[in-house]
Amino acid sequence: MTTKTNQTNQFVNFINGEWIAAASKEKIVNYNPANNEEVVGEVAKSSVEDLDKAVHFAKSASKGWKDLSGAERGQYLYKAADIMERRLEEIAECMTREMGKTYPEAKGETARGVAILRYYAGEGMRAVGDVIPSTDSEALMFTTRVPLGVVGVITPWNFPVAIPIWKSAPALIYGNTIVLKPATEGAVTCAKVIECFAEAGLPKGVINMVTGPGSVIGQAIAEHPDVHGITFTGSNLVGKQIGHQALARGAKYQLEMGGKNPVIVTEDADLDLAVESTISGGLKSTGQKCTATSRVILLNGIYDKFKERLLEKVKDISVGDGMQEGSWMGPCVSERQLETVLHYIEKGKEESGKLLAGGKRLKDDDREKGYFVEPTVFEDVNSEMTIAQEEIFGPVLALMKVDSLEEALNLANDVEYGLSASIFTTNIQQMLSFIKDMDAGLVRINAESAGVELQAPFGGMKQSSSHSREQGQAAKEFFTSIKTVFVK
Ligand code: NAP
Ligand code: MG
């Protein structure tokens, strides 16, 4: 088992407890999106052969791992958490340099990773079944939960520490072994998470990481007959494809996908709180959160005041390298993502949205080598427009004006997604209507759309998810199968 920390950020695959190069020996080099001349690190460019090997060893490790007690498995997670906590700043810095979010946000995410590990470590000692009275008075009937076997974990780049952990930790604690395929754009950071597991000394083959193109490695995971469960977070396009492939061969799957999250602000709302939360929810992480606020639905009576205060604040946002103190918003993750954001901004203008702030790439001074874009605000946006319907994944807010809460709710629900939604109001009746009628997996009252707590279920409605839930106790549903036991 390797315990050495990799200081050079040159990683290969982690298979059966060893760091080994891809069969092809090929590599992928990742650059800093704040400065595209700076190399952050490298990972293996693997092929199906490498993936097959990882699945083979994950399968071999299954029996030994599931035969441990939950408490014993939990000890490994506690150890990994301690190691990660010790390396928090180094991991966070790597995250900022690899995918761009600011250093304070990256530290927050890494700390959350540590907390998730500890939460699931404790889970190894909690109940996994029920006793159900049998009609036979001499029998004992109960349920227990058993692992799926080998679980394939496919993750996105926007939370390169938290998402791999919130999938891997429950998978492991309930006795599954895993093959993780991180997003290429966050793979170096994720490799550091794997190092923490390696140093914690998990038995060989229990956790494996294979990096490489999603269309090759992700696809091979989805199709592999020995992968019994697939947990995916990413885009709708890829998620649906994985769902079809898993269904075709009878594997269990879980998909967490996009969002187009609204905030509603009513006339009696705490205006400062609503503006602060809209900015934080919409623009932190450069809008690259599945739960980011995107549509800002304002009641007529508060529209002008809200708009004025929002624009004042947006004007003051400092955009720059996330490692620089004072940068509030970092770059887009890649040139392609930047182009996507600029494309949507053009679309917004073409379709008669009125640009109130931002709209351009920032290329001055230190920023010319990065993928920086201005925080952008549109008004006069209606539901027919592309920027009101499609996920942008960038720092773009669309203001929409309505006359009543009913109209606001209709508008808020008038998209194919249903991940997260907020309302700002002090009126209890309005809160209750929102809780009842908003079609979203997370509804938040007087709080930004992008908040998630690790001990509560997380997931979306409509096209945002496969209707399964992650995190908290909900993770048990996906990562185990129920066995009903009858004893006489
Ligand atoms: P993505 O392009 O769908 O990629 C997600 C993962 O799938 C990556 O590891 C990717 O590998 C892999 N992949 C790509 N093509 C594949 C294929 N044909 N078969 C199997 N796997 C494949 O998404 P992304 O660009 O990384 O992330 C942004 C998206 O994630 C947004 O839509 C966002 O809303 C969503 N997201 C959702 C949540 C949530 O919980 N609901 C959280 C965060 C993000 P490569 O990186 O190598 O392409
Ligand atoms: Mg992608």
Side-chain angles (χ1 to χ4, degrees):
M1 185 75 54
T2 313
T3 57
K4 202 168 84 310
T5 301
N6 183 331
Q7 302 291 347
T8 59
N9 288 351
Q10 293 175 332
F11 287 98
V12 285
N13 290 324
F14 188 70
I15 298 175
N16 200 32
E18 308 285 342
W19 293 96
I20 45 176
S24 67
K25 305 277 184 263
E26 283 188 73
K27 289 166 182 167
I28 297 168
V29 177
N30 279 355
Y31 293 86
N32 185 342
N35 172 6
N36 58 24
E37 289 177 356
E38 182 193 317
V39 173
V40 174
E42 62 180 43
V43 293
K45 187 174 180 187
S46 310
S47 59
V48 175
E49 191 184 337
D50 303 300
L51 186 270
D52 286 346
K53 198 170 178 181
V55 174
H56 167 78
F57 285 112
K59 191 180 172 188
S60 310
S62 274
K63 175 88 171 92
W65 183 244
K66 82 170 183 181
D67 283 350
L68 293 180
S69 70
E72 284 168 320
R73 288 193 293 265
Q75 288 307 316
Y76 289 106
L77 299 194
Y78 280 126
K79 260 189 226 162
D82 292 346
I83 294 162
M84 208 162 117
E85 192 167 50
R86 200 182 70 221
R87 294 180 59 184
L88 190 140
E89 292 183 346
E90 170 222 331
I91 293 172
E93 179 176 342
C94 181
M95 188 191 310
T96 297
R97 291 174 58 219
E98 187 174 37
M99 56 67 69
K101 77 172 59 169
T102 64
Y103 184 53
E105 286 182 88
K107 279 198 289 193
E109 181 185 335
T110 311
R112 178 142 65 105
V114 173
I116 296 167
L117 282 168
R118 292 193 175 130
Y119 176 86
Y120 284 111
E123 195 56 23
M125 296 183 79
R126 289 188 201 108
V128 287
D130 300 305
V131 174
I132 301 149
S134 168
T135 49
D136 182 338
S137 63
E138 289 172 357
L140 168 65
M141 187 162 69
F142 64 93
T143 60
T144 183
R145 285 179 178 268
V146 294
L148 302 178
V150 178
V151 170
V153 178
I154 304 175
T155 56
W157 47 263
N158 63 339
F159 288 94
V161 167
I163 294 180
I165 291 178
W166 89 43
K167 293 178 182 296
S168 300
L172 292 172
I173 200 69
Y174 299 123
N176 301 281
T177 59
I178 64 183
V179 177
L180 165 66
K181 200 302 269 180
T184 300
E185 281 150 341
V188 176
T189 307
C190 189
K192 287 181 185 272
V193 173
I194 297 298
E195 272 192 320
C196 298
F197 281 109
E199 196 181 328
L202 272 84
K204 281 178 193 286
V206 167
I207 185 163
N208 305 274
M209 178 190 74
V210 179
T211 54
S215 54
V216 179
I217 307 303
Q219 167 106 10
I221 288 176
E223 290 175 340
H224 202 297
D226 288 333
V227 175
H228 307 110
I230 299 157
T231 175
F232 168 88
T233 296
S235 61
N236 280 58
L237 193 73
V238 174
K240 292 271 167 70
Q241 212 174 301
I242 289 175
H244 283 295
Q245 287 156 343
L247 187 67
R249 62 181 184 81
K252 198 169 178 182
Y253 64 93
Q254 171 186 58
L255 314 170
E256 286 305 332
M257 301 173 286
K260 189 69 190 169
N261 313 298
V263 56
I264 296 172
V265 185
T266 67
E267 272 129 3
D268 54 34
D270 176 337
L271 188 63
D272 286 330
L273 178 69
V275 170
E276 283 296 335
S277 306
T278 300
I279 289 180
S280 169
L283 307 177
K284 277 238 149 125
S285 285
T286 322
Q288 300 172 127
K289 292 183 187 175
C290 51
T291 51
T293 305
S294 161
R295 297 174 297 140
V296 186
I297 302 170
L298 303 167
L299 270 290
N300 217 333
I302 203 166
Y303 189 93
D304 291 331
K305 271 187 283 177
F306 183 99
K307 173 176 136 184
E308 188 187 330
R309 225 171 282 185
L310 180 80
L311 292 177
E312 259 168 43
K313 298 259 181 201
V314 165
K315 191 167 74 350
D316 290 337
I317 290 176
S318 52
V319 181
D321 183 338
M323 282 312 294
Q324 248 160 43
E325 220 174 297
S327 292
W328 190 89
M329 194 176 99
C332 299
V333 70
S334 62
E335 186 163 25
R336 206 182 54 171
Q337 190 64 31
L338 170 71
E339 277 162 11
T340 303
V341 174
L342 294 172
H343 158 82
Y344 278 114
I345 292 171
E346 281 317 304
K347 260 291 194 231
K349 290 195 274 188
E350 265 169 41
E351 294 177 359
S352 79
K354 183 171 161 204
L355 190 64
L356 295 175
K360 292 190 300 294
R361 179 176 182 176
L362 288 160
K363 288 187 83 168
D364 54 322
D365 312 326
D366 302 341
R367 294 185 288 201
E368 66 180 317
K369 290 180 196 141
Y371 309 125
F372 297 100
V373 63
E374 292 177 308
T376 297
V377 183
F378 276 99
E379 73 172 344
D380 295 339
V381 176
N382 63 56
S383 230
E384 276 70 58
M385 289 167 60
T386 311
I387 61 166
Q389 291 296 328
E390 293 181 15
E391 184 182 52
I392 301 175
F393 234 52
V396 181
L397 293 169
L399 307 191
M400 307 167 97
K401 197 190 289 185
V402 292
D403 291 320
S404 65
L405 182 66
E406 194 190 347
E407 197 189 333
L409 274 163
N410 287 337
L411 199 56
N413 282 327
D414 188 21
V415 287
E416 62 174 13
Y417 296 107
L419 185 52
S420 170
S422 285
I423 191 169
F424 288 83
T425 178
T426 50
N427 178 316
I428 186 81
Q429 216 46 56
Q430 295 189 327
M431 293 179 194
L432 293 173
S433 301
F434 180 75
I435 294 168
K436 182 165 71 68
D437 293 330
M438 185 69 228
D439 298 328
L442 300 160
V443 293
R444 301 185 38 96
I445 320 294
N446 295 322
E448 66 169 72
S449 67
V452 171
E453 298 208 26
L454 63 97
Q455 70 279 26
F458 173 77
M461 293 181 178
K462 293 154 77 177
Q463 300 294 316
S464 288
S465 120
S466 56
H467 313 286
S468 38
R469 290 289 180 269
E470 302 190 273
Q471 305 202 58
Q473 294 295 302
K476 206 186 291 178
E477 296 299 327
F478 180 74
F479 290 108
T480 62
S481 225
I482 294 178
K483 199 177 261 188
T484 303
V485 184
F486 182 87
V487 187
K488 179 150 175 170

